[in-house]
Every structure is written in structure tokens, then in C-alpha cells.
């Protein structure tokens, strides 16, 4: 049983997960675990998806590593885990709250294109946003009562984090 909160920040690429998570961690004096950065830094991948140009996280190894980090910190600080597949990494029983960040598809498309998303990778991620893929996965894993959907479209990071702190 965790004595502090385990908060997951999820959403499709370019919704602002890492920026929001970093500021929320600062506001709560929490430990921030960026799953993408952890995979890269500790070589927790199982290969590369050449069609999408992305690293494939070894979810089993990543989950073990994240749980090890959480066990070290569990009495000291809240923990914020940021990644679109965070719900697959942290055991549902340990999760206090999941924030699913959402962005209007037109705004999201502009941001994704600015980050270099093209072709199949662009359209798959836009489809995931439109179809509520991250929201569905979160609710399925931890139940509706632990999930909060936040529309970040056109909003400043500070305003979003302020809302999260109130929740």
C-alpha cells in the first residue's frame, strides 16, 4: 500500500504530458518519471518500429524498473508518471489518480506536424485522440472514479496544473 499518491498523466503525443507533469511535480514536490526518457536513458527498449520511426518500450522491464523506483520513494514523495502507456506500466491497484490530457484534433495536428509527425504516425495518433483511446484504456484499467479527463486545448500549462492541484 502506497503512503503517497501515484498520479499518472496520459494522452496522445503532443498534448503536453511532459510539460504538465514537470510543473505538477514541482507544485506537489513530487518525483516525476517520464517513461519515454527512462526508456531511452536506461535502454529499456525491445527494438525500433521502423514504420513509425519510434523506439518500442520493453514494457515488462520498464514496469519492473518503475516499480523499483516507486518502492524507494513511496513514503517520501508523491510520484507522477508521464507517458501515453503509463497505465500499462504501473499496477492499477497502486494508482491514485489518472489525468488524461485531451486536445482538439485540429490543434493537435498542428502541434504534431510541428514536431515532425507525418503520414501513418500522424494519422494513427490523431485517430487515437478522436477515438478516446487513452481515456478508454485508463477507465478500463482503474475505473471511472480514478480518471479525470482534462481538455488542454488553447490553455496555458500553469492553468492546467492549477486545475489538477484542485482536483
Amino acid at each position: 500500500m502506497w503512503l503517497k499518491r501515484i498520479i499518472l498523466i496520459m494522452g496522445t503525443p503532443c498534448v503536453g504530458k511532459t510539460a504538465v507533469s514537470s510543473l505538477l511535480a514541482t507544485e506537489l514536490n513530487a518525483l516525476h518519471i517520464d517513461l519515454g526518457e527512462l526508456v531511452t536513458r536506461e535502454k529499456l527498449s525491445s527494438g525500433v518500429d521502423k514504420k513509425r520511426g519510434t523506439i518500442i518500450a520493453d514494457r515488462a522491464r520498464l514496469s519492473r524498473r518503475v516499480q523499483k523506483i516507486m518502492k524507494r520513494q513511496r513514503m517520501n514523495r508523491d510520484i507522477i508518471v508521464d507517458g501515453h502507456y503509463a497505465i500499462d506500466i504501473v499496477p492499477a491497484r497502486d494508482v491514485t489518480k489518472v489525468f488524461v490530457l485531451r486536445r482538439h484534433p485540429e490543434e493537435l495536428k498542428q502541434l504534431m506536424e510541428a514536431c515532425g509527425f507525418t503520414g501513418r504516425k500522424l494519422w494513427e495518433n490523431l485517430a487515437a485522440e478522436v477515438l478516446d483511446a487513452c481515456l478508454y484504456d485508463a477507465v478500463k484499467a482503474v475505473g471511472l472514479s480514478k480518471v479525470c479527463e482534462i481538455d488542454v486545448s488553447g490553455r496555458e500549462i500553469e492553468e492546467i496544473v492549477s486545475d489538477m492541484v484542485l482536483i
Side-chain angles (χ1 to χ4, degrees):
M1 183 70 154
W2 300 107
L3 299 178
K4 294 291 188 168
R5 295 172 291 194
I6 308 293
I7 301 167
L8 308 185
I9 310 294
M10 296 178 56
T12 56
C14 298
V15 293
K17 294 180 299 294
T18 301
V20 167
S21 296
S22 294
L23 184 57
L24 181 62
T26 299
E27 291 288 320
L28 298 178
N29 189 31
L31 173 67
H32 174 218
I33 301 173
D34 176 339
L35 294 178
E37 188 272 331
L38 185 62
V39 166
T40 302
R41 186 181 71 234
E42 297 194 12
K43 297 176 178 42
L44 298 170
S45 64
S46 60
V48 175
D49 182 333
K50 293 181 181 174
K51 287 182 181 177
R52 293 175 185 86
T54 58
I55 294 172
I56 301 168
D58 182 329
R59 293 185 184 199
R61 287 177 47 222
L62 180 59
S63 181
R64 286 192 299 273
R65 179 65 180 119
V66 167
Q67 289 180 57
K68 188 175 182 181
I69 293 167
M70 290 189 326
K71 282 180 185 168
R72 255 196 344 240
Q73 293 294 323
R74 74 185 210 193
M75 291 200 196
N76 303 322
R77 303 166 75 185
D78 291 333
I79 299 170
I80 313 253
V81 181
D82 139 32
H84 69 275
Y85 50 84
I87 202 69
D88 297 329
I89 303 304
V90 179
R93 70 180 179 278
D94 297 334
V95 175
T96 306
K97 183 63 95 180
V98 180
F99 289 103
V100 179
L101 306 185
R102 305 297 303 277
R103 193 175 290 278
H104 189 282
E106 290 174 6
E107 186 178 307
L108 185 60
K109 182 177 183 276
Q110 291 175 350
L111 289 168
M112 286 181 168
E113 288 172 336
C115 289
F117 285 63
T118 60
R120 183 177 178 172
K121 184 176 178 180
L122 172 70
W123 293 108
E124 283 180 356
N125 283 298
L126 286 172
E129 179 66 20
V130 171
L131 296 172
D132 302 331
C134 291
L135 179 63
Y136 174 81
D137 290 345
V139 170
K140 184 178 174 188
V142 300
L144 193 56
S145 65
K146 289 186 178 183
V147 178
C148 182
E149 179 180 20
I150 298 182
D151 183 359
V152 301
S153 303
R155 298 178 69 199
E156 296 295 322
I157 295 169
E158 294 80 9
E159 179 186 2
I160 297 161
V161 169
S162 178
D163 287 352
M164 293 170 120
V165 169
L166 290 173
I167 293 167

